[in-house]
Amino acid sequence: MSRNASAFNSVLGWARKFSLFHYPFVTACCGMEYMSAACAHFDLDRFGAGWTRFSPRQADLLIVVGTVTEKLTPVLQTVYRQMVDPKWVIAFGACAVSGGIYDNYAVLQGIDTVIPVDVYIPGGPPRPETVLDGLIKLQEKIQKQDQDWRWRKRRS
Amino acid sequence: MTTRLQSEARRESLLLNMGPFHPAMHGTIRIMLEIEGERVRNAEVEIGFLHRGFEKTCENKTWFNLLPYTDRLNYVSPLLNNLGYALAVEKLFGVEAPARARLIRVLLGELSRIADHLTCVAAMAMECGAFTVFLYNIKAREFIWDVIEATTGARMTTSYIRIGGVRADLHPGWREATARAVAETRKVLKDVRGLLDANPIFLKRTRDIAVISPERALAYGWTGPCLRSTGIAYDVRRAHPYLDYDDFEFEIPTGERGDNFDRYLVRMREMEQSLRIIEQAASKLGASPPAVMAASVEPAAAIEASRSRRERRPIRLSPNLEGSEKAVSEDILAAGPWAAPPKEDVYSSIEGLIRHFQFFMKDHGIRPPRGEVYGAVEGGNGEVGFYLVSDGSDTPARVHLRAPCFHIVAALEELIVGLYLADIIPTFGSLNMIGGELDR
Ligand code: SF4
């Protein structure tokens, strides 16, 4: 990468990490903690992720909050496919990470079996501080990653 | 697969699919609609997107180990689910929690109920566009959760109310924290009512929308605030008193019309009553102080002492051994074989350790008598009932949950037919559908 390109890469990373529009895929209990994290006390907005978009087509960040069951799996996949690149995924809570305490016939054992995941936030439900920590981790990742932009598609 | 709606629909009407992931509906539910212009002609509701196998899973857990699963039923008020389950099992075993534990249960249960109603009103108002109400309510909930967290160790999924009592005594400083939570909630309730009660936008979307008659509500098996909004004052706390609810003064607010607005108003007024109950419980708890604590022995010294000889004085080992003080454990846990031993006994005596194993090791757990019980409490959404069947082994033969939400959502189809499309959102919000409880 030339010097100019790498400078542009990091500027783009900086811009992207502080303007995350997120789409909460809230299914279960963890959603209550998601509400707390997004509201006044903990305030995701401080980290540039305050703008909740309730349409996957306008969002960069998919936060999968709560248990995903087998019945809901196709829905999750559809939502993921509807998002435009670049996109990131956070698995929020033990259920989204691994199925959590529900090791049975009905529950998907971790969303990473069906969609790629960038950051895992453990805990059932995770405390809002953990969520903020996960968000900061994601921002670090975005800053460091090889950005793709219009005239330079990422080599994959 | 053709659904009922598809086969019944007229050829010229438009079929619309709301959900299972509609942004304005908190929770995963699918509503299929046949619409004519903006009007809903016919509707079909599909549930089960959050079916997590609660009842089946419980059959493979011991009576004590399945408590965490009950947290996740109505996850907005986990303590009330804990309570329902604990009371049902206590009925089966024939134990009763000590007086102080019962008061603690009332106190935390009512806090939990307020959190539940706050969340419901918050979500409902937000979906009508009143985002301020959402922020205010979640703020109040945060103060309530502070109390719950400091006592139970978890903000939501507490597993705090145990069979035979509660896990630990209230945390030091609970009185100030509770008073603060009550004051903050009062303030928020006042603000919210000021914002919404006479708000023309809110009224237009809720007044006389989705009206249900008392007869229909009863026929569907509605309970809780939704039923009371139609004017029927059925509350499990009054109709079948449990704990010490007989000794508390509170009213049962009812509505008149059974519309969206009444459901909102009943919830708001119920929170005020819950605040009253909390204050009464707090003053009663003050009147019965826990057994006097020993002059404090530092943990290191206490461990040293308990190694050398049997300690007669009550030992102060918490908080690093997570639990209540030994001296208060008899205040908050029932004696006898059915209640799990307090953690302090487990860590400091061999008898306690053995009893602990008897409880928590698989195939060694406590075996209740054969039989079946039904125990119900007033949950956030109505009557939360647990129907338990015991075959005399250490795991339940059957656990069935009577989820209030299930009956309420059953009426959704009937409620929304004939309304405008936009009315579905506040209607759905006012019913307070909770996936964990609905789909189990
Ligand atoms: S991780 Fe726990 S709190 Fe979160 S959705 Fe799963 S069961 Fe509920």
Side-chain angles (χ1 to χ4, degrees):
Chain A
M1 213 190 294
S2 74
R3 250 191 43 231
N4 279 349
S6 92
F8 188 61
N9 195 63
S10 76
V11 170
L12 204 56
W14 175 83
R16 280 185 176 155
K17 76 173 177 183
F18 286 130
S19 60
L20 287 169
F21 287 14
H22 64 272
Y23 176 80
F25 189 89
V26 178
T27 60
C29 353
C30 278
M32 298 300 122
E33 280 295 25
Y34 165 75
M35 283 183 190
S36 289
C39 273
H41 263 64
F42 294 96
D43 200 4
L44 275 178
D45 207 358
R46 289 179 291 164
F47 302 93
W51 203 232
T52 311
R53 300 313 303 158
F54 281 112
S55 160
R57 292 179 207 282
Q58 301 165 355
D60 320 302
L61 170 60
L62 175 67
I63 308 187
V64 182
V65 186
T67 323
V68 179
T69 58
E70 299 284 353
K71 186 168 177 174
L72 205 58
T73 306
V75 183
L76 177 62
Q77 285 170 311
T78 313
V79 166
Y80 181 73
R81 279 198 299 267
Q82 283 175 346
M83 293 170 62
V84 287
D85 273 331
K87 56 188 172 186
W88 297 275
V89 179
I90 287 183
F92 183 121
C95 282
V97 171
S98 68
I101 62 171
Y102 295 99
D103 183 6
N104 60 26
Y105 61 93
V107 176
L108 188 70
Q109 299 298 304
I111 59 164
D112 53 4
T113 52
V114 291
I115 59 172
V117 176
D118 291 284
V119 174
Y120 298 87
I121 303 179
R127 292 184 53 90
E129 290 91 337
T130 328
V131 181
L132 299 183
D133 188 44
L135 185 71
I136 294 170
K137 291 242 158 60
L138 180 71
Q139 289 177 332
E140 281 166 13
K141 179 174 174 173
I142 294 175
Q143 175 72 71
K144 281 197 214 120
Q145 88 182 26
D146 198 10
Q147 315 289 345
D148 57 344
W149 58 83
R150 221 167 131 197
W151 61 90
R152 175 187 170 274
K153 283 277 162 253
R154 194 188 308 163
R155 297 165 295 257
S156 58
Chain B
M1 194 182 79
T2 350
T3 58
R4 173 179 66 75
L5 186 89
Q6 278 170 333
S7 52
E8 284 175 13
R10 301 183 312 178
R11 282 197 60 196
E12 63 272 25
S13 28
L14 175 69
L15 298 187
L16 186 74
N17 188 28
M18 271 181 107
F21 223 81
H22 192 272
M25 300 193 309
H26 48 278
T28 42
I29 189 170
R30 179 170 172 213
I31 308 178
M32 289 166 274
L33 301 163
E34 179 189 352
I35 49 177
E36 197 177 78
E38 278 278 297
R39 291 269 179 193
V40 178
R41 271 196 87 240
N42 201 350
E44 186 177 353
V45 175
E46 183 183 350
I47 62 168
F49 288 97
L50 195 59
H51 173 69
R52 303 189 276 197
F54 163 72
E55 293 178 359
K56 190 68 196 166
T57 309
C58 287
E59 290 169 20
N60 300 312
K61 303 274 167 199
T62 64
W63 293 96
F64 295 88
N65 295 356
L66 65 86
L67 198 63
Y69 287 91
T70 62
D71 283 336
R72 287 149 176 89
L73 294 172
N74 183 345
Y75 37 73
V76 201
S77 51
L79 284 158
L80 293 171
N81 305 321
N82 285 173
L83 180 61
Y85 175 69
L87 282 178
V89 178
E90 280 166 15
K91 204 166 166 187
L92 181 68
F93 287 176
V95 286
E96 201 193 13
R100 186 173 171 82
R102 292 203 300 271
L103 282 175
I104 295 177
R105 284 173 171 190
V106 170
L107 180 85
L108 291 180
E110 291 305 321
L111 280 174
S112 217
R113 184 187 321 281
I114 295 179
D116 189 300
H117 288 354
L118 279 174
T119 314
C120 170
V121 171
M124 178 187 176
M126 180 184 68
E127 283 148 15
C128 296
F131 196 67
T132 318
V133 173
F134 182 74
L135 291 175
Y136 282 9
N137 277 6
I138 302 294
K139 179 186 83 176
R141 194 179 74 171
E142 224 44 69
F143 287 105
I144 289 171
W145 278 2
D146 280 349
V147 185
I148 293 183
E149 184 191 6
T151 289
T152 69
R155 284 156 60 86
M156 279 173 53
T157 45
T158 55
S159 300
Y160 170 74
I161 294 178
R162 300 282 166 89
I163 296 159
V166 293
R167 199 202 69 178
D169 202 11
L170 292 164
H171 68 282
W174 64 271
R175 196 173 287 283
E176 297 75 48
T178 314
R180 178 138 179 258
V182 168
E184 289 287 339
T185 315
R186 281 238 161 83
K187 215 161 84 202
V188 164
L189 289 185
K190 191 161 155 272
D191 287 349
V192 168
R193 291 199 64 171
L195 281 170
L196 291 183
D197 274 9
N199 183 327
I201 303 174
F202 189 70
L203 282 175
K204 274 245 163 61
R205 300 195 64 179
T206 53
R207 228 340 152 209
D208 289 326
I209 305 278
V211 182
I212 191 165
S213 66
E215 295 76 33
R216 290 303 291 160
L218 278 180
Y220 271 114
W222 280 27
T223 45
C226 290
L227 176 68
R228 291 194 281 275
S229 76
T230 66
I232 298 177
Y234 173 75
D235 186 316
V236 186
R237 289 173 293 175
R238 268 287 153 72
H240 309 283
Y242 53 94
L243 298 178
D244 297 334
Y245 274 113
D246 269 348
D247 307 342
F248 288 92
E249 265 176 42
F250 61 100
E251 283 152 29
I252 298 178
T254 54
E256 288 152 12
R257 311 196 203 177
D259 58 1
N260 285 344
F261 189 75
D262 271 356
R263 289 192 274 273
Y264 149 78
L265 205 60
V266 164
R267 284 210 169 82
M268 294 302 281
R269 288 170 55 204
E270 248 178 53
M271 282 191 260
E272 278 151 29
Q273 298 304 319
S274 291
L275 289 174
R276 275 179 70 195
I277 300 180
I278 289 168
E279 281 168 343
Q280 293 171 40
S283 69
K284 285 188 193 191
L285 271 168
S288 72
V292 204
M293 301 272 178
S296 101
V297 185
E298 285 309 305
I303 292 171
E304 191 63 28
S306 65
R307 279 201 185 122
S308 50
R309 70 202 138 76
R310 199 71 198 286
E311 185 56 60
R312 280 281 145 240
R313 275 180 310 166
I315 306 176
R316 203 185 169 91
L317 285 181
S318 56
N320 45 359
L321 292 184
E322 61 144 34
S324 56
E325 310 303 328
K326 202 167 183 174
V328 300
S329 59
E330 54 232 43
D331 282 345
I332 57 169
L333 270 177
W338 304 118
K343 274 279 187 292
E344 287 68 25
D345 278 354
V346 176
Y347 287 125
S348 61
S349 73
I350 188 69
E351 295 87 347
L353 195 62
I354 291 172
R355 267 191 70 206
H356 177 83
F357 280 146
Q358 280 175 345
F359 269 84
F360 292 104
M361 264 165 64
K362 202 156 166 56
D363 297 331
H364 292 267
I366 286 298
R367 285 149 206 273
R370 281 163 195 247
E372 51 185 43
V373 288
Y374 175 78
V377 294
E378 180 72 24
N381 273 336
E383 181 171 339
V384 179
F386 283 87
Y387 172 69
L388 310 171
V389 181
S390 154
D391 57 359
S393 69
D394 61 345
T395 56
R398 177 88 172 92
V399 175
H400 174 71
L401 173 77
R402 185 231 181 261
C405 234
F406 185 72
H407 303 261
I408 292 170
V409 172
L412 184 61
E413 280 175 14
E414 184 181 313
L415 282 182
I416 61 179
V417 168
L419 299 183
Y420 286 116
L421 203 52
D423 291 334
I424 296 177
I425 304 301
T427 306
F428 186 76
S430 74
L431 295 184
N432 195 20
M433 172 274 198
I434 300 287
E437 177 179 85
L438 174 73
D439 298 334
R440 283 161 251 166

